[in-house]
Short mmCIF file of all heavy atoms in Angstrom, two decimals:
data_model
loop_
_atom_site.label_atom_id
_atom_site.label_comp_id
_atom_site.label_asym_id
_atom_site.label_seq_id
_atom_site.Cartn_x
_atom_site.Cartn_y
_atom_site.Cartn_z
N GLU A 1 264.80 90.05 202.40
CA GLU A 1 264.15 91.21 203.19
C GLU A 1 263.26 90.58 204.32
O GLU A 1 263.29 91.22 205.36
CB GLU A 1 263.31 92.02 202.20
CG GLU A 1 262.62 93.20 202.89
CD GLU A 1 261.85 94.04 201.87
OE1 GLU A 1 262.17 93.94 200.72
OE2 GLU A 1 261.00 94.83 202.33
N GLU A 2 262.64 89.48 204.07
CA GLU A 2 261.83 88.85 205.17
C GLU A 2 262.72 88.41 206.35
O GLU A 2 262.31 88.60 207.48
CB GLU A 2 261.05 87.70 204.60
CG GLU A 2 259.93 88.04 203.63
CD GLU A 2 260.43 88.02 202.14
OE1 GLU A 2 261.68 88.17 201.94
OE2 GLU A 2 259.65 87.83 201.16
N ALA A 3 263.85 87.86 206.06
CA ALA A 3 264.71 87.45 207.23
C ALA A 3 265.35 88.66 207.82
O ALA A 3 265.36 88.62 209.09
CB ALA A 3 265.88 86.59 206.58
N ARG A 4 265.62 89.69 207.17
CA ARG A 4 266.11 90.90 207.85
C ARG A 4 265.04 91.56 208.72
O ARG A 4 265.30 92.00 209.85
CB ARG A 4 266.69 91.87 206.81
CG ARG A 4 267.81 91.29 205.95
CD ARG A 4 268.64 92.37 205.31
NE ARG A 4 267.80 93.16 204.34
CZ ARG A 4 267.71 92.66 203.13
NH1 ARG A 4 268.11 91.52 202.65
NH2 ARG A 4 266.97 93.50 202.25
N ALA A 5 263.80 91.54 208.25
CA ALA A 5 262.72 91.99 209.00
C ALA A 5 262.53 91.19 210.35
O ALA A 5 262.29 91.76 211.44
CB ALA A 5 261.42 92.08 208.27
N ASP A 6 262.75 89.88 210.27
CA ASP A 6 262.70 89.02 211.37
C ASP A 6 263.71 89.34 212.43
O ASP A 6 263.48 89.28 213.62
CB ASP A 6 262.80 87.51 210.95
CG ASP A 6 262.43 86.50 212.03
OD1 ASP A 6 261.27 86.55 212.58
OD2 ASP A 6 263.22 85.69 212.38
N VAL A 7 264.91 89.73 211.89
CA VAL A 7 265.99 90.13 212.83
C VAL A 7 265.64 91.32 213.50
O VAL A 7 265.96 91.53 214.72
CB VAL A 7 267.29 90.18 212.01
CG1 VAL A 7 268.44 90.86 212.90
CG2 VAL A 7 267.76 88.87 211.48
N HIS A 8 265.11 92.28 212.84
CA HIS A 8 264.72 93.50 213.47
C HIS A 8 263.67 93.24 214.68
O HIS A 8 263.68 93.89 215.64
CB HIS A 8 264.12 94.50 212.41
CG HIS A 8 265.14 95.20 211.63
ND1 HIS A 8 265.90 96.21 212.19
CD2 HIS A 8 265.58 95.09 210.38
CE1 HIS A 8 266.79 96.64 211.23
NE2 HIS A 8 266.52 95.98 210.10
N ASP A 9 262.70 92.32 214.45
CA ASP A 9 261.83 91.92 215.48
C ASP A 9 262.69 91.42 216.69
O ASP A 9 262.34 91.61 217.90
CB ASP A 9 260.97 90.86 215.02
CG ASP A 9 259.86 91.39 214.09
OD1 ASP A 9 259.60 92.63 214.10
OD2 ASP A 9 259.24 90.61 213.37
N MET A 10 263.69 90.51 216.41
CA MET A 10 264.58 90.06 217.47
C MET A 10 265.33 91.15 218.12
O MET A 10 265.39 91.11 219.41
CB MET A 10 265.55 89.06 216.88
CG MET A 10 264.99 87.72 216.34
SD MET A 10 266.23 86.72 215.59
CE MET A 10 267.20 86.27 216.99
N ARG A 11 265.77 92.15 217.48
CA ARG A 11 266.38 93.27 218.08
C ARG A 11 265.43 94.06 219.04
O ARG A 11 265.84 94.36 220.21
CB ARG A 11 266.91 94.28 216.99
CG ARG A 11 268.08 93.92 216.27
CD ARG A 11 268.54 94.91 215.31
NE ARG A 11 269.65 94.48 214.43
CZ ARG A 11 270.17 95.34 213.48
NH1 ARG A 11 269.67 96.53 213.20
NH2 ARG A 11 271.25 94.87 212.86
N ALA A 12 264.22 94.27 218.62
CA ALA A 12 263.31 95.00 219.38
C ALA A 12 262.91 94.26 220.64
O ALA A 12 262.50 94.89 221.66
CB ALA A 12 261.96 95.26 218.57
N ALA A 13 263.04 92.84 220.58
CA ALA A 13 262.69 92.09 221.80
C ALA A 13 263.90 91.88 222.69
O ALA A 13 263.77 91.22 223.83
CB ALA A 13 262.08 90.78 221.37
N SER A 14 265.07 92.44 222.33
CA SER A 14 266.27 92.31 223.13
C SER A 14 266.70 93.47 223.82
O SER A 14 266.38 94.62 223.42
CB SER A 14 267.45 91.85 222.16
OG SER A 14 267.14 90.65 221.39
N ASP A 15 267.28 93.29 225.00
CA ASP A 15 267.82 94.54 225.80
C ASP A 15 269.02 95.15 225.16
O ASP A 15 269.21 96.27 225.25
CB ASP A 15 268.11 94.07 227.19
CG ASP A 15 266.90 93.77 228.02
OD1 ASP A 15 265.78 94.17 227.61
OD2 ASP A 15 267.06 93.14 229.11
N ALA A 16 269.87 94.26 224.46
CA ALA A 16 271.07 94.75 223.85
C ALA A 16 271.36 94.02 222.57
O ALA A 16 270.98 92.89 222.41
CB ALA A 16 272.22 94.68 224.81
N VAL A 17 271.98 94.64 221.65
CA VAL A 17 272.42 94.12 220.42
C VAL A 17 274.00 94.27 220.43
O VAL A 17 274.54 95.42 220.63
CB VAL A 17 271.84 94.79 219.14
CG1 VAL A 17 272.61 94.21 217.88
CG2 VAL A 17 270.44 94.50 219.14
N MET A 18 274.80 93.32 220.16
CA MET A 18 276.22 93.30 220.30
C MET A 18 276.92 92.91 219.01
O MET A 18 276.54 91.95 218.34
CB MET A 18 276.64 92.33 221.44
CG MET A 18 278.19 92.40 221.79
SD MET A 18 278.58 91.33 223.09
CE MET A 18 278.61 89.80 222.37
N VAL A 19 277.99 93.68 218.68
CA VAL A 19 278.89 93.33 217.50
C VAL A 19 280.28 93.61 217.94
O VAL A 19 280.57 94.17 219.00
CB VAL A 19 278.56 94.19 216.28
CG1 VAL A 19 277.13 93.89 215.81
CG2 VAL A 19 278.77 95.67 216.57
N GLY A 20 281.18 93.09 217.07
CA GLY A 20 282.61 93.34 217.40
C GLY A 20 283.04 94.62 216.59
O GLY A 20 282.38 95.14 215.71
N ILE A 21 284.25 95.03 216.88
CA ILE A 21 284.75 96.22 216.27
C ILE A 21 284.91 96.02 214.80
O ILE A 21 284.80 96.92 213.95
CB ILE A 21 286.03 96.72 216.90
CG1 ILE A 21 286.59 97.95 216.22
CG2 ILE A 21 287.06 95.59 216.90
CD1 ILE A 21 285.69 99.16 216.33
N GLY A 22 285.22 94.73 214.33
CA GLY A 22 285.39 94.48 212.99
C GLY A 22 284.15 94.83 212.12
O GLY A 22 284.23 95.43 211.03
N THR A 23 283.00 94.51 212.70
CA THR A 23 281.72 94.85 212.01
C THR A 23 281.44 96.29 211.97
O THR A 23 280.94 96.84 210.88
CB THR A 23 280.56 94.23 212.82
OG1 THR A 23 280.76 92.75 212.76
CG2 THR A 23 279.13 94.53 212.18
N VAL A 24 281.82 97.05 213.01
CA VAL A 24 281.70 98.49 213.01
C VAL A 24 282.59 99.16 211.90
O VAL A 24 282.15 99.97 211.18
CB VAL A 24 282.01 99.04 214.47
CG1 VAL A 24 282.01 100.61 214.35
CG2 VAL A 24 280.90 98.58 215.41
N LEU A 25 283.73 98.70 211.92
CA LEU A 25 284.75 99.29 210.96
C LEU A 25 284.38 98.93 209.51
O LEU A 25 284.50 99.77 208.58
CB LEU A 25 286.18 98.80 211.21
CG LEU A 25 286.71 99.24 212.52
CD1 LEU A 25 288.06 98.64 212.77
CD2 LEU A 25 286.87 100.81 212.62
N ARG A 26 283.87 97.68 209.29
CA ARG A 26 283.54 97.26 207.83
C ARG A 26 282.10 97.73 207.39
O ARG A 26 282.07 98.19 206.26
CB ARG A 26 283.57 95.68 207.91
CG ARG A 26 283.30 95.09 206.51
CD ARG A 26 283.34 93.61 206.58
NE ARG A 26 282.38 93.02 207.44
CZ ARG A 26 282.48 92.56 208.57
NH1 ARG A 26 283.77 92.47 209.11
NH2 ARG A 26 281.57 91.95 209.33
N ASP A 27 281.22 97.66 208.21
CA ASP A 27 279.77 97.90 207.81
C ASP A 27 279.14 99.24 208.35
O ASP A 27 278.20 99.70 207.76
CB ASP A 27 278.86 96.76 208.17
CG ASP A 27 279.27 95.44 207.62
OD1 ASP A 27 279.90 95.47 206.48
OD2 ASP A 27 278.97 94.39 208.19
N ASP A 28 279.76 99.78 209.34
CA ASP A 28 279.14 100.96 209.97
C ASP A 28 277.68 100.80 210.25
O ASP A 28 276.82 101.69 209.80
CB ASP A 28 279.47 102.18 209.26
CG ASP A 28 279.22 103.49 209.91
OD1 ASP A 28 279.10 103.45 211.16
OD2 ASP A 28 278.98 104.52 209.30
N PRO A 29 277.28 99.81 210.97
CA PRO A 29 275.83 99.54 211.19
C PRO A 29 275.18 100.45 212.21
O PRO A 29 275.85 101.04 213.11
CB PRO A 29 275.75 98.12 211.69
CG PRO A 29 277.08 97.94 212.48
CD PRO A 29 278.06 98.79 211.73
N ARG A 30 273.80 100.69 212.14
CA ARG A 30 273.05 101.45 213.14
C ARG A 30 272.77 100.66 214.27
O ARG A 30 272.61 101.13 215.44
CB ARG A 30 271.90 102.09 212.48
CG ARG A 30 272.13 103.13 211.40
CD ARG A 30 270.93 103.39 210.54
NE ARG A 30 269.82 103.87 211.42
CZ ARG A 30 268.55 104.03 210.91
NH1 ARG A 30 268.29 103.77 209.60
NH2 ARG A 30 267.53 104.37 211.64
N LEU A 31 272.51 99.35 214.05
CA LEU A 31 272.11 98.40 215.11
C LEU A 31 270.72 98.77 215.86
O LEU A 31 270.63 98.49 217.00
CB LEU A 31 273.23 98.25 216.20
CG LEU A 31 274.56 97.68 215.63
CD1 LEU A 31 275.51 97.53 216.70
CD2 LEU A 31 274.36 96.32 214.84
N THR A 32 269.89 99.34 215.19
CA THR A 32 268.57 99.70 215.76
C THR A 32 267.54 98.75 215.22
O THR A 32 267.64 98.15 214.23
CB THR A 32 268.31 101.17 215.36
OG1 THR A 32 268.28 101.35 213.96
CG2 THR A 32 269.10 102.14 216.05
N ALA A 33 266.40 98.74 215.89
CA ALA A 33 265.25 97.96 215.47
C ALA A 33 264.34 98.82 214.61
O ALA A 33 263.84 99.85 215.08
CB ALA A 33 264.45 97.50 216.73
N ARG A 34 264.28 98.55 213.33
CA ARG A 34 263.57 99.40 212.48
C ARG A 34 262.33 98.66 211.80
O ARG A 34 261.84 98.91 210.74
CB ARG A 34 264.49 99.77 211.30
CG ARG A 34 265.76 100.65 211.81
CD ARG A 34 266.56 101.19 210.67
NE ARG A 34 267.32 100.17 209.86
CZ ARG A 34 268.45 99.68 210.32
NH1 ARG A 34 268.98 99.99 211.48
NH2 ARG A 34 269.06 98.78 209.55
N ASN A 35 261.71 97.81 212.70
CA ASN A 35 260.41 97.21 212.22
C ASN A 35 259.24 98.11 212.64
O ASN A 35 259.35 98.83 213.59
CB ASN A 35 260.37 95.86 212.94
CG ASN A 35 260.47 95.90 214.43
OD1 ASN A 35 261.23 96.84 214.93
ND2 ASN A 35 259.92 95.04 215.22
#
């Protein structure tokens, strides 16, 4: 959980978050910063 929170900090500090279509089809992520 601590590592995932760190990633959310990285998302908030980034202009864009990028994934491939495989990740969307497999995980259906929100890709938002939830910190």
Side-chain angles (χ1 to χ4, degrees):
E1 183 176 341
E2 292 92 334
R4 297 197 298 276
D6 194 57
V7 171
H8 282 286
D9 287 339
M10 293 176 65
R11 287 182 182 179
S14 301
D15 289 343
V17 174
M18 185 177 79
V19 298
I21 181 59
T23 298
V24 172
L25 295 175
R26 182 181 61 252
D27 299 334
D28 192 22
R30 290 165 60 189
L31 300 181
T32 53
R34 297 188 291 279
N35 52 334

